[in-house]
Amino acid sequence: AQTVTQSQPEMSVQEAETVTLSCTYDTSESNYYLFWYKQPPSRQMILVIRQEAYKQQNATENRFSVNFQKAAKSFSLKISDSQLGDTAMYFCAFMNTGNQFYFGTGTSLTVIP
Amino acid sequence: DGGITQSPKYLFRKEGQNVTLSCEQNLNHDAMYWYRQDPGQGLRLIYYSQIVNDFQKGDIAEGYSVSREKKESFPLTVTSAQKNPTAFYLCASRRRPDLREETQYFGPGTRLLVL
């Protein structure tokens, strides 16, 4: 089975600053997808960004970007120019070749005004 | 508006009682999923269905049952065999399970509490 590890249960960042959330995973597969989801206090899960393992270029979505290191099985999320609305729980997720999703335990991010 | 609805928002279960959580989507998505979320444990897959009248067990299916009689509906029953059902339950759907780049879309969740 695949495992996803988020080693930072809680993080905080000053508004307008940059923060990086870490994620590592364990798999023997070569073709997979990785995702970052955001869960604000409303509990509604929202996709932040996705990365295909075969693509070497790191994905970027506005202020959100990833640092995908396939050999190291690392998939960190960088949030630039942090905003108060970024305060949420962030989950890293792995999708295997069978299209099953595995989630990490989450990182609670607080943006401080 | 297209989306996924889950009802009720809060559900209370008495000991020995079966309860059913509703999940409906009008996105015309083929695949649907049920996850359980506990504090400090992230999301764990209970059941998933990639097509009508077919479903597979996830990692923690014991004590749960599902049906997929219609494309838009995927109800989850928490049976009395589930000894620790208190959790937040999330339903998700995915347009085409055969397209790897497709992500999941989540409903607002149901909080189940045992009395």
Side-chain angles (χ1 to χ4, degrees), chain A residues 31 33 37 39 43-45 50 91 95-96 99-105, chain B residues 35 37 40 42-43 45 59 88 94 97 100-101 103-104 106-108 111:
Chain A
N31 184 19
Y33 272 80
Y37 287 90
Q39 187 180 41
R43 307 298 295 268
Q44 180 72 56
M45 293 278 281
R50 83 189 83 184
F91 290 96
M95 186 183 76
N96 66 8
N99 293 328
Q100 271 196 283
F101 282 71
Y102 296 86
F103 288 80
T105 52
Chain B
Y35 291 93
Q37 185 177 17
L43 278 68
L45 181 64
D59 297 324
F88 187 66
R94 194 155 167 255
R100 310 274 341 274
E101 66 272 19
T103 186
Q104 293 185 339
F106 287 84
R111 167 71 68 183

PDB file of all heavy atoms in Angstrom, chain A residues 31 33 37 39 43-45 50 91 95-96 99-105, chain B residues 35 37 40 42-43 45 59 88 94 97 100-101 103-104 106-108 111:
ATOM      1  N   ASN A  31       4.090   5.579 -12.491  1.00  0.00           N
ATOM      2  CA  ASN A  31       3.123   6.480 -13.105  1.00  0.00           C
ATOM      3  C   ASN A  31       2.013   6.754 -12.110  1.00  0.00           C
ATOM      4  O   ASN A  31       1.190   5.878 -11.836  1.00  0.00           O
ATOM      5  CB  ASN A  31       2.543   5.867 -14.385  1.00  0.00           C
ATOM      6  CG  ASN A  31       1.610   6.820 -15.082  1.00  0.00           C
ATOM      7  OD1 ASN A  31       1.642   8.029 -14.846  1.00  0.00           O
ATOM      8  ND2 ASN A  31       0.758   6.304 -15.935  1.00  0.00           N
ATOM      9  N   TYR A  33      -0.219  10.214  -9.835  1.00  0.00           N
ATOM     10  CA  TYR A  33      -0.516  11.636  -9.716  1.00  0.00           C
ATOM     11  C   TYR A  33      -0.407  12.038  -8.246  1.00  0.00           C
ATOM     12  O   TYR A  33      -0.679  11.240  -7.339  1.00  0.00           O
ATOM     13  CB  TYR A  33      -1.944  11.941 -10.199  1.00  0.00           C
ATOM     14  CG  TYR A  33      -2.044  12.232 -11.674  1.00  0.00           C
ATOM     15  CD1 TYR A  33      -2.065  11.191 -12.605  1.00  0.00           C
ATOM     16  CD2 TYR A  33      -2.117  13.540 -12.141  1.00  0.00           C
ATOM     17  CE1 TYR A  33      -2.158  11.460 -13.959  1.00  0.00           C
ATOM     18  CE2 TYR A  33      -2.214  13.812 -13.491  1.00  0.00           C
ATOM     19  CZ  TYR A  33      -2.234  12.768 -14.392  1.00  0.00           C
ATOM     20  OH  TYR A  33      -2.324  13.042 -15.739  1.00  0.00           O
ATOM     21  N   TYR A  37      -4.738  19.343  -1.548  1.00  0.00           N
ATOM     22  CA  TYR A  37      -6.090  19.823  -1.304  1.00  0.00           C
ATOM     23  C   TYR A  37      -6.075  20.749  -0.108  1.00  0.00           C
ATOM     24  O   TYR A  37      -5.281  20.588   0.831  1.00  0.00           O
ATOM     25  CB  TYR A  37      -7.049  18.656  -1.012  1.00  0.00           C
ATOM     26  CG  TYR A  37      -7.415  17.815  -2.206  1.00  0.00           C
ATOM     27  CD1 TYR A  37      -6.656  16.707  -2.554  1.00  0.00           C
ATOM     28  CD2 TYR A  37      -8.526  18.128  -2.987  1.00  0.00           C
ATOM     29  CE1 TYR A  37      -6.993  15.921  -3.641  1.00  0.00           C
ATOM     30  CE2 TYR A  37      -8.876  17.358  -4.074  1.00  0.00           C
ATOM     31  CZ  TYR A  37      -8.099  16.248  -4.399  1.00  0.00           C
ATOM     32  OH  TYR A  37      -8.437  15.486  -5.478  1.00  0.00           O
ATOM     33  N   GLN A  39      -8.555  22.355   2.943  1.00  0.00           N
ATOM     34  CA  GLN A  39      -9.819  22.216   3.663  1.00  0.00           C
ATOM     35  C   GLN A  39      -9.937  23.372   4.659  1.00  0.00           C
ATOM     36  O   GLN A  39      -9.382  23.326   5.744  1.00  0.00           O
ATOM     37  CB  GLN A  39      -9.893  20.867   4.386  1.00  0.00           C
ATOM     38  CG  GLN A  39     -11.264  20.612   4.999  1.00  0.00           C
ATOM     39  CD  GLN A  39     -11.343  19.262   5.718  1.00  0.00           C
ATOM     40  OE1 GLN A  39     -10.421  18.863   6.414  1.00  0.00           O
ATOM     41  NE2 GLN A  39     -12.452  18.558   5.533  1.00  0.00           N
ATOM     42  N   ARG A  43     -14.861  23.075   6.076  1.00  0.00           N
ATOM     43  CA  ARG A  43     -14.662  21.627   5.854  1.00  0.00           C
ATOM     44  C   ARG A  43     -14.814  21.228   4.378  1.00  0.00           C
ATOM     45  O   ARG A  43     -14.731  20.057   4.049  1.00  0.00           O
ATOM     46  CB  ARG A  43     -15.580  20.754   6.700  1.00  0.00           C
ATOM     47  CG  ARG A  43     -15.579  21.020   8.188  1.00  0.00           C
ATOM     48  CD  ARG A  43     -14.253  20.781   8.832  1.00  0.00           C
ATOM     49  NE  ARG A  43     -13.779  19.434   8.812  1.00  0.00           N
ATOM     50  CZ  ARG A  43     -13.993  18.531   9.762  1.00  0.00           C
ATOM     51  NH1 ARG A  43     -14.743  18.823  10.798  1.00  0.00           N
ATOM     52  NH2 ARG A  43     -13.471  17.325   9.689  1.00  0.00           N
ATOM     53  N   GLN A  44     -15.053  22.167   3.481  1.00  0.00           N
ATOM     54  CA  GLN A  44     -15.178  21.840   2.052  1.00  0.00           C
ATOM     55  C   GLN A  44     -13.794  21.634   1.446  1.00  0.00           C
ATOM     56  O   GLN A  44     -12.977  22.550   1.427  1.00  0.00           O
ATOM     57  CB  GLN A  44     -15.884  22.980   1.319  1.00  0.00           C
ATOM     58  CG  GLN A  44     -16.056  22.752  -0.163  1.00  0.00           C
ATOM     59  CD  GLN A  44     -17.098  21.711  -0.481  1.00  0.00           C
ATOM     60  OE1 GLN A  44     -18.247  21.810  -0.070  1.00  0.00           O
ATOM     61  NE2 GLN A  44     -16.700  20.674  -1.227  1.00  0.00           N
ATOM     62  N   MET A  45     -13.511  20.455   0.959  1.00  0.00           N
ATOM     63  CA  MET A  45     -12.219  20.145   0.349  1.00  0.00           C
ATOM     64  C   MET A  45     -12.141  20.750  -1.041  1.00  0.00           C
ATOM     65  O   MET A  45     -13.043  20.573  -1.856  1.00  0.00           O
ATOM     66  CB  MET A  45     -12.038  18.637   0.235  1.00  0.00           C
ATOM     67  CG  MET A  45     -11.913  17.923   1.566  1.00  0.00           C
ATOM     68  SD  MET A  45     -10.269  18.008   2.239  1.00  0.00           S
ATOM     69  CE  MET A  45      -9.470  16.744   1.253  1.00  0.00           C
ATOM     70  N   ARG A  50      -2.161  19.969  -8.853  1.00  0.00           N
ATOM     71  CA  ARG A  50      -1.903  18.570  -9.149  1.00  0.00           C
ATOM     72  C   ARG A  50      -0.627  18.445  -9.974  1.00  0.00           C
ATOM     73  O   ARG A  50      -0.214  19.378 -10.657  1.00  0.00           O
ATOM     74  CB  ARG A  50      -3.080  17.956  -9.888  1.00  0.00           C
ATOM     75  CG  ARG A  50      -3.096  18.193 -11.388  1.00  0.00           C
ATOM     76  CD  ARG A  50      -4.376  17.763 -12.025  1.00  0.00           C
ATOM     77  NE  ARG A  50      -5.405  18.766 -11.925  1.00  0.00           N
ATOM     78  CZ  ARG A  50      -6.656  18.609 -12.350  1.00  0.00           C
ATOM     79  NH1 ARG A  50      -7.029  17.464 -12.858  1.00  0.00           N
ATOM     80  NH2 ARG A  50      -7.526  19.567 -12.239  1.00  0.00           N
ATOM     81  N   PHE A  91      -3.969  19.010   2.694  1.00  0.00           N
ATOM     82  CA  PHE A  91      -3.731  17.576   2.576  1.00  0.00           C
ATOM     83  C   PHE A  91      -2.985  17.274   1.278  1.00  0.00           C
ATOM     84  O   PHE A  91      -3.366  17.731   0.210  1.00  0.00           O
ATOM     85  CB  PHE A  91      -5.050  16.795   2.567  1.00  0.00           C
ATOM     86  CG  PHE A  91      -5.762  16.798   3.894  1.00  0.00           C
ATOM     87  CD1 PHE A  91      -6.775  17.715   4.142  1.00  0.00           C
ATOM     88  CD2 PHE A  91      -5.418  15.895   4.878  1.00  0.00           C
ATOM     89  CE1 PHE A  91      -7.438  17.716   5.362  1.00  0.00           C
ATOM     90  CE2 PHE A  91      -6.081  15.892   6.094  1.00  0.00           C
ATOM     91  CZ  PHE A  91      -7.084  16.810   6.336  1.00  0.00           C
ATOM     92  N   MET A  95      -2.371   9.421  -5.994  1.00  0.00           N
ATOM     93  CA  MET A  95      -3.291   8.546  -6.724  1.00  0.00           C
ATOM     94  C   MET A  95      -2.484   7.486  -7.460  1.00  0.00           C
ATOM     95  O   MET A  95      -1.599   7.816  -8.253  1.00  0.00           O
ATOM     96  CB  MET A  95      -4.122   9.335  -7.726  1.00  0.00           C
ATOM     97  CG  MET A  95      -5.194   8.488  -8.407  1.00  0.00           C
ATOM     98  SD  MET A  95      -6.122   9.384  -9.652  1.00  0.00           S
ATOM     99  CE  MET A  95      -4.930   9.413 -11.000  1.00  0.00           C
ATOM    100  N   ASN A  96      -2.788   6.215  -7.187  1.00  0.00           N
ATOM    101  CA  ASN A  96      -2.012   5.145  -7.802  1.00  0.00           C
ATOM    102  C   ASN A  96      -2.553   4.750  -9.170  1.00  0.00           C
ATOM    103  O   ASN A  96      -3.503   5.349  -9.683  1.00  0.00           O
ATOM    104  CB  ASN A  96      -1.935   3.949  -6.841  1.00  0.00           C
ATOM    105  CG  ASN A  96      -3.288   3.289  -6.608  1.00  0.00           C
ATOM    106  OD1 ASN A  96      -4.285   3.614  -7.262  1.00  0.00           O
ATOM    107  ND2 ASN A  96      -3.332   2.355  -5.676  1.00  0.00           N
ATOM    108  N   ASN A  99      -6.146   4.179  -9.635  1.00  0.00           N
ATOM    109  CA  ASN A  99      -6.983   5.358  -9.403  1.00  0.00           C
ATOM    110  C   ASN A  99      -7.524   5.446  -7.977  1.00  0.00           C
ATOM    111  O   ASN A  99      -8.576   6.046  -7.752  1.00  0.00           O
ATOM    112  CB  ASN A  99      -8.136   5.426 -10.408  1.00  0.00           C
ATOM    113  CG  ASN A  99      -7.639   5.661 -11.815  1.00  0.00           C
ATOM    114  OD1 ASN A  99      -6.631   6.315 -12.025  1.00  0.00           O
ATOM    115  ND2 ASN A  99      -8.342   5.101 -12.780  1.00  0.00           N
ATOM    116  N   GLN A 100      -6.822   4.855  -7.039  1.00  0.00           N
ATOM    117  CA  GLN A 100      -7.181   5.016  -5.629  1.00  0.00           C
ATOM    118  C   GLN A 100      -6.359   6.145  -5.037  1.00  0.00           C
ATOM    119  O   GLN A 100      -5.161   6.272  -5.317  1.00  0.00           O
ATOM    120  CB  GLN A 100      -6.903   3.733  -4.852  1.00  0.00           C
ATOM    121  CG  GLN A 100      -8.072   2.779  -4.834  1.00  0.00           C
ATOM    122  CD  GLN A 100      -7.910   1.712  -3.757  1.00  0.00           C
ATOM    123  OE1 GLN A 100      -7.165   0.772  -3.921  1.00  0.00           O
ATOM    124  NE2 GLN A 100      -8.597   1.869  -2.649  1.00  0.00           N
ATOM    125  N   PHE A 101      -7.031   6.935  -4.195  1.00  0.00           N
ATOM    126  CA  PHE A 101      -6.382   8.068  -3.562  1.00  0.00           C
ATOM    127  C   PHE A 101      -5.936   7.703  -2.148  1.00  0.00           C
ATOM    128  O   PHE A 101      -6.663   7.037  -1.406  1.00  0.00           O
ATOM    129  CB  PHE A 101      -7.345   9.259  -3.493  1.00  0.00           C
ATOM    130  CG  PHE A 101      -7.514  10.001  -4.786  1.00  0.00           C
ATOM    131  CD1 PHE A 101      -8.209   9.427  -5.846  1.00  0.00           C
ATOM    132  CD2 PHE A 101      -6.985  11.271  -4.952  1.00  0.00           C
ATOM    133  CE1 PHE A 101      -8.363  10.109  -7.043  1.00  0.00           C
ATOM    134  CE2 PHE A 101      -7.145  11.959  -6.147  1.00  0.00           C
ATOM    135  CZ  PHE A 101      -7.826  11.375  -7.191  1.00  0.00           C
ATOM    136  N   TYR A 102      -4.750   8.188  -1.782  1.00  0.00           N
ATOM    137  CA  TYR A 102      -4.249   8.043  -0.415  1.00  0.00           C
ATOM    138  C   TYR A 102      -3.870   9.435   0.084  1.00  0.00           C
ATOM    139  O   TYR A 102      -3.185  10.180  -0.620  1.00  0.00           O
ATOM    140  CB  TYR A 102      -3.036   7.111  -0.371  1.00  0.00           C
ATOM    141  CG  TYR A 102      -3.365   5.697  -0.776  1.00  0.00           C
ATOM    142  CD1 TYR A 102      -3.358   5.312  -2.116  1.00  0.00           C
ATOM    143  CD2 TYR A 102      -3.728   4.758   0.183  1.00  0.00           C
ATOM    144  CE1 TYR A 102      -3.683   4.014  -2.482  1.00  0.00           C
ATOM    145  CE2 TYR A 102      -4.043   3.453  -0.187  1.00  0.00           C
ATOM    146  CZ  TYR A 102      -4.018   3.097  -1.516  1.00  0.00           C
ATOM    147  OH  TYR A 102      -4.354   1.808  -1.879  1.00  0.00           O
ATOM    148  N   PHE A 103      -4.323   9.747   1.281  1.00  0.00           N
ATOM    149  CA  PHE A 103      -4.133  11.085   1.822  1.00  0.00           C
ATOM    150  C   PHE A 103      -3.167  11.087   2.994  1.00  0.00           C
ATOM    151  O   PHE A 103      -3.117  10.121   3.779  1.00  0.00           O
ATOM    152  CB  PHE A 103      -5.477  11.664   2.291  1.00  0.00           C
ATOM    153  CG  PHE A 103      -6.410  12.038   1.176  1.00  0.00           C
ATOM    154  CD1 PHE A 103      -7.172  11.069   0.534  1.00  0.00           C
ATOM    155  CD2 PHE A 103      -6.522  13.356   0.757  1.00  0.00           C
ATOM    156  CE1 PHE A 103      -8.031  11.402  -0.503  1.00  0.00           C
ATOM    157  CE2 PHE A 103      -7.388  13.700  -0.278  1.00  0.00           C
ATOM    158  CZ  PHE A 103      -8.128  12.723  -0.901  1.00  0.00           C
ATOM    159  N   GLY A 104      -2.435  12.187   3.143  1.00  0.00           N
ATOM    160  CA  GLY A 104      -1.636  12.394   4.336  1.00  0.00           C
ATOM    161  C   GLY A 104      -2.507  12.850   5.486  1.00  0.00           C
ATOM    162  O   GLY A 104      -3.726  13.046   5.327  1.00  0.00           O
ATOM    163  N   THR A 105      -1.893  13.055   6.634  1.00  0.00           N
ATOM    164  CA  THR A 105      -2.639  13.416   7.838  1.00  0.00           C
ATOM    165  C   THR A 105      -2.928  14.916   7.929  1.00  0.00           C
ATOM    166  O   THR A 105      -3.635  15.353   8.827  1.00  0.00           O
ATOM    167  CB  THR A 105      -1.894  12.972   9.098  1.00  0.00           C
ATOM    168  OG1 THR A 105      -0.561  13.477   9.023  1.00  0.00           O
ATOM    169  CG2 THR A 105      -1.858  11.457   9.203  1.00  0.00           C
TER     170      THR A 105
ATOM    171  N   TYR B  35     -15.201   8.721   2.110  1.00  0.00           N
ATOM    172  CA  TYR B  35     -14.038   8.785   2.983  1.00  0.00           C
ATOM    173  C   TYR B  35     -14.492   9.057   4.405  1.00  0.00           C
ATOM    174  O   TYR B  35     -15.493   9.714   4.651  1.00  0.00           O
ATOM    175  CB  TYR B  35     -13.103   9.927   2.568  1.00  0.00           C
ATOM    176  CG  TYR B  35     -12.402   9.717   1.259  1.00  0.00           C
ATOM    177  CD1 TYR B  35     -12.949  10.204   0.082  1.00  0.00           C
ATOM    178  CD2 TYR B  35     -11.187   9.045   1.206  1.00  0.00           C
ATOM    179  CE1 TYR B  35     -12.291  10.024  -1.122  1.00  0.00           C
ATOM    180  CE2 TYR B  35     -10.525   8.871   0.001  1.00  0.00           C
ATOM    181  CZ  TYR B  35     -11.084   9.362  -1.159  1.00  0.00           C
ATOM    182  OH  TYR B  35     -10.435   9.180  -2.344  1.00  0.00           O
ATOM    183  N   GLN B  37     -12.979  10.850   7.898  1.00  0.00           N
ATOM    184  CA  GLN B  37     -11.937  11.742   8.377  1.00  0.00           C
ATOM    185  C   GLN B  37     -11.969  11.787   9.887  1.00  0.00           C
ATOM    186  O   GLN B  37     -12.982  12.163  10.481  1.00  0.00           O
ATOM    187  CB  GLN B  37     -12.109  13.154   7.794  1.00  0.00           C
ATOM    188  CG  GLN B  37     -10.979  14.096   8.161  1.00  0.00           C
ATOM    189  CD  GLN B  37     -11.117  15.471   7.519  1.00  0.00           C
ATOM    190  OE1 GLN B  37     -12.185  15.864   7.050  1.00  0.00           O
ATOM    191  NE2 GLN B  37     -10.031  16.209   7.470  1.00  0.00           N
ATOM    192  N   GLY B  40      -6.237  13.956  13.100  1.00  0.00           N
ATOM    193  CA  GLY B  40      -4.881  13.444  13.068  1.00  0.00           C
ATOM    194  C   GLY B  40      -4.668  12.248  12.153  1.00  0.00           C
ATOM    195  O   GLY B  40      -3.551  11.709  12.105  1.00  0.00           O
ATOM    196  N   GLY B  42      -6.140  12.148   8.749  1.00  0.00           N
ATOM    197  CA  GLY B  42      -6.419  12.428   7.355  1.00  0.00           C
ATOM    198  C   GLY B  42      -7.670  11.709   6.883  1.00  0.00           C
ATOM    199  O   GLY B  42      -8.555  11.363   7.656  1.00  0.00           O
ATOM    200  N   LEU B  43      -7.741  11.475   5.592  1.00  0.00           N
ATOM    201  CA  LEU B  43      -8.898  10.820   4.978  1.00  0.00           C
ATOM    202  C   LEU B  43      -8.574   9.367   4.679  1.00  0.00           C
ATOM    203  O   LEU B  43      -7.510   9.064   4.135  1.00  0.00           O
ATOM    204  CB  LEU B  43      -9.276  11.507   3.659  1.00  0.00           C
ATOM    205  CG  LEU B  43     -10.117  12.770   3.735  1.00  0.00           C
ATOM    206  CD1 LEU B  43      -9.347  13.924   4.356  1.00  0.00           C
ATOM    207  CD2 LEU B  43     -10.616  13.150   2.355  1.00  0.00           C
ATOM    208  N   LEU B  45     -10.224   5.800   2.831  1.00  0.00           N
ATOM    209  CA  LEU B  45     -11.240   5.379   1.873  1.00  0.00           C
ATOM    210  C   LEU B  45     -12.074   4.241   2.437  1.00  0.00           C
ATOM    211  O   LEU B  45     -11.535   3.226   2.891  1.00  0.00           O
ATOM    212  CB  LEU B  45     -10.560   4.944   0.569  1.00  0.00           C
ATOM    213  CG  LEU B  45     -11.475   4.494  -0.554  1.00  0.00           C
ATOM    214  CD1 LEU B  45     -12.351   5.651  -1.029  1.00  0.00           C
ATOM    215  CD2 LEU B  45     -10.651   3.942  -1.711  1.00  0.00           C
ATOM    216  N   ASP B  59     -10.022   0.843   2.236  1.00  0.00           N
ATOM    217  CA  ASP B  59      -9.157   0.341   3.298  1.00  0.00           C
ATOM    218  C   ASP B  59      -9.887   0.038   4.601  1.00  0.00           C
ATOM    219  O   ASP B  59      -9.425  -0.753   5.413  1.00  0.00           O
ATOM    220  CB  ASP B  59      -8.041   1.358   3.570  1.00  0.00           C
ATOM    221  CG  ASP B  59      -7.143   1.554   2.365  1.00  0.00           C
ATOM    222  OD1 ASP B  59      -6.895   0.568   1.651  1.00  0.00           O
ATOM    223  OD2 ASP B  59      -6.699   2.697   2.124  1.00  0.00           O
ATOM    224  N   PHE B  88     -16.125  12.435  10.739  1.00  0.00           N
ATOM    225  CA  PHE B  88     -16.621  13.298   9.673  1.00  0.00           C
ATOM    226  C   PHE B  88     -16.529  12.501   8.378  1.00  0.00           C
ATOM    227  O   PHE B  88     -15.480  11.925   8.069  1.00  0.00           O
ATOM    228  CB  PHE B  88     -15.756  14.562   9.614  1.00  0.00           C
ATOM    229  CG  PHE B  88     -16.261  15.612   8.678  1.00  0.00           C
ATOM    230  CD1 PHE B  88     -17.451  16.268   8.921  1.00  0.00           C
ATOM    231  CD2 PHE B  88     -15.540  15.965   7.555  1.00  0.00           C
ATOM    232  CE1 PHE B  88     -17.924  17.251   8.064  1.00  0.00           C
ATOM    233  CE2 PHE B  88     -15.995  16.949   6.692  1.00  0.00           C
ATOM    234  CZ  PHE B  88     -17.193  17.590   6.944  1.00  0.00           C
ATOM    235  N   ARG B  94     -15.808  11.797  -9.233  1.00  0.00           N
ATOM    236  CA  ARG B  94     -14.766  12.011 -10.234  1.00  0.00           C
ATOM    237  C   ARG B  94     -15.368  11.745 -11.592  1.00  0.00           C
ATOM    238  O   ARG B  94     -16.051  10.741 -11.796  1.00  0.00           O
ATOM    239  CB  ARG B  94     -13.603  11.059  -9.941  1.00  0.00           C
ATOM    240  CG  ARG B  94     -12.334  11.344 -10.652  1.00  0.00           C
ATOM    241  CD  ARG B  94     -11.170  10.772  -9.871  1.00  0.00           C
ATOM    242  NE  ARG B  94      -9.968  10.760 -10.687  1.00  0.00           N
ATOM    243  CZ  ARG B  94      -9.463   9.662 -11.241  1.00  0.00           C
ATOM    244  NH1 ARG B  94     -10.025   8.497 -11.029  1.00  0.00           N
ATOM    245  NH2 ARG B  94      -8.388   9.738 -11.976  1.00  0.00           N
ATOM    246  N   PRO B  97     -13.094   7.982 -14.224  1.00  0.00           N
ATOM    247  CA  PRO B  97     -12.041   7.286 -13.486  1.00  0.00           C
ATOM    248  C   PRO B  97     -10.934   6.751 -14.382  1.00  0.00           C
ATOM    249  O   PRO B  97      -9.840   6.453 -13.901  1.00  0.00           O
ATOM    250  CB  PRO B  97     -12.797   6.149 -12.787  1.00  0.00           C
ATOM    251  CG  PRO B  97     -14.037   5.960 -13.561  1.00  0.00           C
ATOM    252  CD  PRO B  97     -14.392   7.312 -14.120  1.00  0.00           C
ATOM    253  N   ARG B 100      -6.560   9.687 -15.974  1.00  0.00           N
ATOM    254  CA  ARG B 100      -5.723   9.809 -14.786  1.00  0.00           C
ATOM    255  C   ARG B 100      -5.648  11.224 -14.244  1.00  0.00           C
ATOM    256  O   ARG B 100      -5.459  11.433 -13.050  1.00  0.00           O
ATOM    257  CB  ARG B 100      -4.313   9.294 -15.088  1.00  0.00           C
ATOM    258  CG  ARG B 100      -4.253   7.956 -15.732  1.00  0.00           C
ATOM    259  CD  ARG B 100      -4.277   6.742 -14.827  1.00  0.00           C
ATOM    260  NE  ARG B 100      -3.946   6.906 -13.452  1.00  0.00           N
ATOM    261  CZ  ARG B 100      -2.715   6.874 -12.972  1.00  0.00           C
ATOM    262  NH1 ARG B 100      -1.691   6.740 -13.777  1.00  0.00           N
ATOM    263  NH2 ARG B 100      -2.506   7.007 -11.682  1.00  0.00           N
ATOM    264  N   GLU B 101      -5.761  12.220 -15.136  1.00  0.00           N
ATOM    265  CA  GLU B 101      -5.589  13.591 -14.665  1.00  0.00           C
ATOM    266  C   GLU B 101      -6.817  14.144 -13.956  1.00  0.00           C
ATOM    267  O   GLU B 101      -6.779  15.237 -13.403  1.00  0.00           O
ATOM    268  CB  GLU B 101      -5.242  14.520 -15.839  1.00  0.00           C
ATOM    269  CG  GLU B 101      -6.361  14.676 -16.865  1.00  0.00           C
ATOM    270  CD  GLU B 101      -6.327  13.626 -17.964  1.00  0.00           C
ATOM    271  OE1 GLU B 101      -5.689  12.585 -17.759  1.00  0.00           O
ATOM    272  OE2 GLU B 101      -6.947  13.866 -19.015  1.00  0.00           O
ATOM    273  N   THR B 103      -9.376  14.983 -11.208  1.00  0.00           N
ATOM    274  CA  THR B 103      -9.318  15.049  -9.752  1.00  0.00           C
ATOM    275  C   THR B 103     -10.666  14.683  -9.154  1.00  0.00           C
ATOM    276  O   THR B 103     -11.636  14.440  -9.865  1.00  0.00           O
ATOM    277  CB  THR B 103      -8.916  16.452  -9.295  1.00  0.00           C
ATOM    278  OG1 THR B 103      -8.736  16.437  -7.868  1.00  0.00           O
ATOM    279  CG2 THR B 103     -10.004  17.470  -9.628  1.00  0.00           C
ATOM    280  N   GLN B 104     -10.708  14.638  -7.857  1.00  0.00           N
ATOM    281  CA  GLN B 104     -11.954  14.394  -7.140  1.00  0.00           C
ATOM    282  C   GLN B 104     -12.569  15.729  -6.712  1.00  0.00           C
ATOM    283  O   GLN B 104     -11.855  16.672  -6.398  1.00  0.00           O
ATOM    284  CB  GLN B 104     -11.708  13.549  -5.897  1.00  0.00           C
ATOM    285  CG  GLN B 104     -11.278  12.132  -6.191  1.00  0.00           C
ATOM    286  CD  GLN B 104     -11.159  11.307  -4.935  1.00  0.00           C
ATOM    287  OE1 GLN B 104     -11.022  11.813  -3.845  1.00  0.00           O
ATOM    288  NE2 GLN B 104     -11.226   9.994  -5.088  1.00  0.00           N
ATOM    289  N   PHE B 106     -15.342  17.200  -3.875  1.00  0.00           N
ATOM    290  CA  PHE B 106     -15.871  16.762  -2.588  1.00  0.00           C
ATOM    291  C   PHE B 106     -17.172  17.464  -2.222  1.00  0.00           C
ATOM    292  O   PHE B 106     -17.391  18.620  -2.575  1.00  0.00           O
ATOM    293  CB  PHE B 106     -14.845  17.029  -1.476  1.00  0.00           C
ATOM    294  CG  PHE B 106     -13.666  16.101  -1.514  1.00  0.00           C
ATOM    295  CD1 PHE B 106     -12.589  16.356  -2.337  1.00  0.00           C
ATOM    296  CD2 PHE B 106     -13.644  14.962  -0.728  1.00  0.00           C
ATOM    297  CE1 PHE B 106     -11.497  15.500  -2.381  1.00  0.00           C
ATOM    298  CE2 PHE B 106     -12.562  14.104  -0.755  1.00  0.00           C
ATOM    299  CZ  PHE B 106     -11.488  14.376  -1.582  1.00  0.00           C
ATOM    300  N   GLY B 107     -18.007  16.748  -1.477  1.00  0.00           N
ATOM    301  CA  GLY B 107     -19.183  17.338  -0.880  1.00  0.00           C
ATOM    302  C   GLY B 107     -18.822  18.036   0.411  1.00  0.00           C
ATOM    303  O   GLY B 107     -17.668  18.020   0.847  1.00  0.00           O
ATOM    304  N   PRO B 108     -19.811  18.642   1.080  1.00  0.00           N
ATOM    305  CA  PRO B 108     -19.559  19.426   2.303  1.00  0.00           C
ATOM    306  C   PRO B 108     -19.385  18.570   3.548  1.00  0.00           C
ATOM    307  O   PRO B 108     -18.976  19.077   4.584  1.00  0.00           O
ATOM    308  CB  PRO B 108     -20.796  20.303   2.408  1.00  0.00           C
ATOM    309  CG  PRO B 108     -21.858  19.521   1.715  1.00  0.00           C
ATOM    310  CD  PRO B 108     -21.188  18.779   0.609  1.00  0.00           C
ATOM    311  N   ARG B 111     -21.265  15.098   9.672  1.00  0.00           N
ATOM    312  CA  ARG B 111     -20.665  14.778  10.979  1.00  0.00           C
ATOM    313  C   ARG B 111     -21.574  13.768  11.680  1.00  0.00           C
ATOM    314  O   ARG B 111     -22.750  14.048  11.926  1.00  0.00           O
ATOM    315  CB  ARG B 111     -20.535  16.036  11.833  1.00  0.00           C
ATOM    316  CG  ARG B 111     -20.236  15.791  13.284  1.00  0.00           C
ATOM    317  CD  ARG B 111     -18.837  15.299  13.517  1.00  0.00           C
ATOM    318  NE  ARG B 111     -17.838  16.306  13.231  1.00  0.00           N
ATOM    319  CZ  ARG B 111     -16.527  16.092  13.306  1.00  0.00           C
ATOM    320  NH1 ARG B 111     -16.063  14.898  13.628  1.00  0.00           N
ATOM    321  NH2 ARG B 111     -15.678  17.051  13.057  1.00  0.00           N
TER     322      ARG B 111
END
